[in-house]
Amino acid sequence: MKRLVDSHLAKKIDEITVNTIGIPSIVLMEHAALAVCDNIVDDVPMKSRILAVCGKGNNGADGIAVARLLHDRGYNVHIFFVGANQQETITDEAKLQYDIACKLNIPFVSTISDNQYDVIIDGLFGVGLSRDIEGKYIDIINSINYSGAKIYAVDIPSGVCADDGRVCSVCVRADVTVTFGLNKLGLVLYPGCEYAGRVIVNNRVFPEKVYDMIESNVSMPEPEDINLIPARVPVSNKGTYGHVLVIAGSSTMCGAAYLAAKAAYRTGCGLVKILTHENNRQALCSLLPEAIIDTYNEYTVFDEDYLKQYDDWADAIVVGPGLGMCSCSYNIMECVLKYMKTAKIIDADGLNIIASCTDLQEDKNWWGSSVLTPHLKEMSRLTGEKLSACEIHNNIIETAVDYCKNDSVLVLKDARTVTAYNGKICVNTSGNDGMATAGSGDVLTGIIASLVAQGMKRYEAAMLGVYIHGLAGDSALKYTNRYSMIAEDIIEGLVSVLNNHI
């Protein structure tokens, strides 16, 4: 897992390096400028016309330093400095860099013209920005965006909030962002990630020891995390890799049960049993002969004795997909939550039933064995619609942390799905918009259940399951497209993802 930081932790890394380690801030600035400069030199021909747009703070000082280094290497560089006529308001570092640039006769300009430059370096605002941009800065940013130049952002595109990715009224749309130390939340979450372009994280700006001196509870998966999947062993049988029980599918909806069960198999569990409405038996036996099919009807009594056989058998339970909102479904959910102790992955109608039953929400006994996987609208219902789907999207981490309680795991599904547990947060970056299709969530529940059944803890299984699910969707793009992708394509994508793990 890669750690992510907000503006507070990013500043703390600076402070520790300067005040505790003792490296002067001007030295850090030189390292940061070199990181940006080296990436530009690798990408940009010597004949390119370059403009550094720099503000009055330390991000602007970084930008001037980058311009100086490029000038020293022979590039044709100009500087647009917002503080050129009001130097009393600029930081000490920006004043120093400005004076050095003047002594080196680097040209300063007062306008940003369309198509005048091939490259623009954005050094207006850094990670400390949290308020809306106003006045002349709006015009400056618009001029950058409409310049026709390739844009390199220093640490973060000006206008992106480092804490949550929101746009502070207007924002530079960068082609490349070179960020320092650890990646920023605002560069990962939407809409900030759309403005960041290709993000290059340079962790050599700060000493390695500094990273050990901060605590970040937010992370994002990386390819090596696939190795967390429980290993297969030569001497084994289907019982070795766990049993998944899928309680899903109303009398008219067998597809959700099928997708969750097949995804569980494709992720490596040894045996899947589907408990579904009797109308679905024939279809499921045909679609997935590998699964055991048990059925119920409207007259089945879901009491403790009836469910004990399934609770004893299963290592993980999927409950809710396609279950419907009839009285029978309410009875199923109430009894499953009350009587079954096995780890439960709760999705779809299971969540909607919980949202509509105050008694279920107030009963804390089932939370500690559960993974809840709501999308934004289901999350809104779980909050009693105190928050709209839009408000949750705009505050996804805060919502996940607030609602994740009583030892439960929450998987809050969005373009950047967030997995939360006891204050820990994992932000997923795999996947694509082709996965916004019916049944995609059922596939995810099956993947998570399979990993739990194979022995992973709920939080690790959830965050890894979300990552694998996204990778499978990305793999599916190789033989389909964003318009044509269906849930079964994601399941087949699991094969390619896990091929890379073998």
Side-chain angles (χ1 to χ4, degrees):
M1 294 286 170
K2 293 181 179 178
R3 290 189 292 171
L4 299 173
V5 294
D6 58 12
S7 60
H8 171 74
L9 284 178
K11 290 176 183 177
K12 189 171 183 179
I13 290 172
D14 271 333
E15 291 169 1
I16 291 173
T17 304
V18 174
N19 299 326
T20 303
I21 303 300
I23 298 175
S25 61
I26 197 68
V27 174
L28 288 182
M29 192 164 288
E30 199 72 6
H31 288 171
L34 279 167
V36 179
C37 177
D38 287 345
N39 280 284
I40 293 175
V41 169
D42 288 342
D43 291 345
V44 174
M46 181 66 72
K47 63 181 180 180
S48 301
R49 301 162 297 170
I50 301 176
L51 176 67
V53 180
C54 306
K56 298 177 289 184
N58 284 0
N59 190 254
D62 288 337
I64 298 175
V66 174
R68 168 172 52 80
L69 292 170
L70 290 170
H71 175 79
D72 288 345
R73 297 192 190 191
Y75 281 89
N76 178 18
V77 183
H78 293 170
I79 298 173
F80 179 97
F81 183 47
V82 176
N85 297 319
Q86 41 186 327
Q87 296 175 24
E88 70 279 359
T89 65
I90 70 178
T91 64
D92 292 341
E93 288 84 354
K95 177 66 167 60
L96 176 62
Q97 295 292 352
Y98 172 80
D99 290 342
I100 294 171
C102 289
K103 292 172 183 177
L104 291 173
N105 297 320
I106 301 174
F108 283 76
V109 298
S110 57
T111 59
I112 305 171
S113 302
D114 293 354
N115 301 312
Q116 183 179 356
Y117 297 98
D118 303 301
V119 172
I120 289 181
I121 300 163
D122 164 30
L124 268 180
F125 299 107
V127 297
L129 181 69
S130 59
R131 66 185 186 279
D132 281 352
I133 293 171
E134 301 174 339
K136 64 182 178 182
Y137 291 102
I138 293 177
D139 295 332
I140 293 170
I141 288 175
N142 286 333
S143 296
I144 293 172
N145 287 337
Y146 295 130
S147 67
K150 184 174 183 179
I151 300 170
Y152 287 79
V154 177
D155 209 15
I156 194 166
S158 295
V160 170
C161 178
D163 297 330
D164 54 20
R166 66 184 170 86
V167 171
C168 299
S169 75
V170 67
C171 180
V172 169
R173 187 176 289 276
D175 296 286
V176 179
T177 298
V178 182
T179 196
F180 315 127
L182 298 174
N183 203 352
K184 315 300 184 293
L185 260 173
L187 297 176
V188 174
L189 295 173
Y190 282 96
C193 61
E194 293 185 290
Y195 289 87
R198 179 167 61 97
V199 176
I200 299 168
V201 181
N202 190 302
N203 58 11
R204 298 187 301 276
V205 171
F206 303 97
E208 190 67 31
K209 183 177 180 179
V210 173
Y211 304 125
D212 297 331
M213 299 170 72
I214 66 160
E215 293 185 8
S216 172
N217 63 342
V218 185
S219 62
M220 60 183 284
E222 55 186 329
E224 291 78 9
D225 293 323
I226 295 291
N227 295 323
L228 295 172
I229 296 176
R232 311 290 282 194
V233 294
V235 181
S236 58
N237 56 62
K238 60 180 178 287
T240 307
Y241 304 110
H243 296 167
V244 171
L245 173 67
V246 176
I247 306 175
S250 64
S251 60
T252 59
M253 295 182 67
C254 74
Y258 162 69
L259 292 169
K262 186 173 182 180
Y265 268 132
R266 285 296 196 199
T267 314
C269 83
L271 191 59
V272 177
K273 182 181 290 186
I274 302 174
L275 179 58
T276 188
H277 192 277
E278 61 186 9
N279 289 6
N280 300 327
R281 176 184 287 278
Q282 184 174 349
L284 289 172
C285 285
S286 176
L287 287 168
L288 195 63
E290 298 89 347
I292 301 169
I293 310 297
D294 280 3
T295 63
Y296 64 86
N297 58 38
E298 288 75 7
Y299 306 104
T300 303
V301 178
F302 285 87
D303 57 16
E304 186 172 8
D305 290 338
Y306 177 78
L307 290 174
K308 187 177 188 307
Q309 59 179 313
Y310 296 108
D311 203 23
D312 291 343
W313 179 87
D315 298 296
I317 300 169
V318 170
V319 59
L323 203 59
M325 298 289 288
C326 63
S327 58
C328 179
S329 301
Y330 274 77
N331 182 37
I332 290 171
M333 282 303 303
E334 288 172 351
C335 292
V336 166
L337 297 182
K338 183 176 182 179
Y339 298 125
M340 302 187 81
K341 308 303 181 186
T342 304
K344 293 169 282 292
I345 294 80
I346 306 171
D347 188 34
D349 289 327
L351 297 169
N352 293 329
I353 291 170
I354 291 170
S356 66
C357 292
T358 303
D359 290 345
L360 290 181
Q361 294 182 52
E362 293 179 350
D363 180 5
K364 300 176 182 178
N365 293 321
W366 58 268
W367 287 82
S369 61
S370 300
V371 179
L372 287 74
T373 62
H375 56 56
L376 297 182
K377 187 60 178 175
E378 290 163 346
M379 189 71 242
S380 177
R381 296 185 189 116
L382 286 169
T383 67
E385 300 191 337
K386 294 176 183 177
L387 296 173
S388 68
C390 183
E391 288 171 324
I392 293 169
H393 169 78
N394 292 334
N395 300 278
I396 190 165
I397 289 181
E398 181 181 349
T399 303
V401 171
D402 287 348
Y403 193 82
C404 182
K405 53 191 176 182
N406 300 324
D407 206 37
S408 65
V409 176
L410 181 70
V411 176
L412 184 45
K413 298 182 291 193
D414 197 10
R416 287 287 189 257
T417 294
V418 169
T419 303
Y421 174 67
N422 282 347
K424 294 186 289 186
I425 293 288
C426 181
V427 181
N428 184 63
T429 56
S430 64
N432 59 79
D433 48 47
M435 299 173 70
T437 184
S440 179
D442 304 322
V443 173
L444 175 60
T445 59
I447 293 171
I448 296 173
S450 182
L451 295 175
V452 171
Q454 292 174 68
M456 293 191 74
K457 294 182 179 180
R458 286 175 297 130
Y459 177 63
E460 286 74 15
M463 63 183 182
L464 183 60
V466 171
Y467 183 52
I468 291 172
H469 179 250
L471 291 178
D474 291 336
S475 178
L477 282 181
K478 296 174 184 177
Y479 54 86
T480 182
N481 58 69
R482 283 175 157 82
Y483 294 91
S484 304
M485 190 183 302
I486 59 175
E488 283 205 85
D489 295 324
I490 303 171
I491 294 175
E492 296 312 309
L494 288 168
V495 178
S496 297
V497 172
L498 297 180
N499 273 343
N500 297 328
H501 172 64
I502 295 173

